[in-house]
Amino acid sequence: MRIALAALALLVLSPAALAAETAPPPNIASPTPAEDELPPGVANDVAVPGELDGSWRIVLDDGGDMPLVALDITHGADEPRAAGVFTALPGLCPDPATACDWDGVTAEITDIVLVDGGLIISFNPSADVADEQVFHLKPVGDGSWRGTLEGQPPRRVLMRRPPE
């Protein structure tokens, strides 16, 4: 009996037995399946970007293309709302010829809503409630959006993808 226990102790405590117990599992690389190979429940959870998803630039719609604001929007397909971040550019100032504190401000967009075939984007480049900027836009056939800025002063604007 003592011999059996001693043999068992040697087997359990032997370096080969310890190495076998602590050896890492073999490295088995499994490729990531394509969306069409995923199980049905998982495939439906893959987010598809919506038409607003990505970077945009809003400029004055006066032929001069003075930049007002840059937008980075996250939008899911068929979602009525989106979220994003804006960066105020020099043209957004109430008097674009004079620099203001808004120039270069980056913050979250208050609201982005697709409604009645159009788009409403609102944000505030300052802590003053009176400085709220609201864009009302309608789609244009070339993928851009055209409308108005209800800021001070009100202006005609064009939203489009920035040049590559």
Side-chain angles (χ1 to χ4, degrees):
M1 176 88 161
R2 286 185 188 180
I3 294 175
L5 287 175
L8 181 61
L10 285 175
L11 179 62
V12 171
L13 298 176
S14 72
L18 288 174
E21 287 181 17
T22 59
N27 187 6
I28 301 172
S30 62
T32 304
E35 184 178 332
D36 60 348
E37 296 174 348
L38 295 173
V42 175
N44 292 339
D45 291 341
V46 176
V48 177
E51 64 182 310
L52 298 175
D53 199 75
S55 296
W56 295 88
R57 191 172 182 94
I58 299 180
V59 299
L60 284 179
D61 190 14
D62 64 356
D65 290 344
M66 176 179 276
L68 302 175
V69 67
L71 307 170
D72 283 312
I73 297 175
T74 302
H75 179 229
D78 300 322
E79 292 294 326
R81 288 192 166 332
V85 174
F86 75 90
T87 299
L89 301 173
L92 189 64
C93 293
D95 178 7
T98 307
C100 71
D101 292 339
W102 300 353
D103 188 11
V105 169
T106 298
E108 287 187 35
I109 297 170
T110 307
D111 208 2
I112 304 171
V113 182
L114 286 160
V115 59
D116 297 329
L119 175 63
I120 300 171
I121 300 174
S122 61
F123 62 87
N124 196 325
S126 79
D128 188 346
V129 174
D131 291 338
E132 177 106 32
Q133 306 293 301
V134 180
F135 294 93
H136 291 271
L137 305 162
K138 295 282 185 190
V140 180
D142 63 0
S144 61
W145 297 73
R146 183 169 269 127
T148 59
L149 165 61
E150 287 184 9
Q152 293 299 324
R155 300 175 253 185
R156 291 180 329 147
V157 297
L158 176 66
M159 182 174 91
R160 61 181 173 219
R161 301 280 182 181
E164 297 283 329

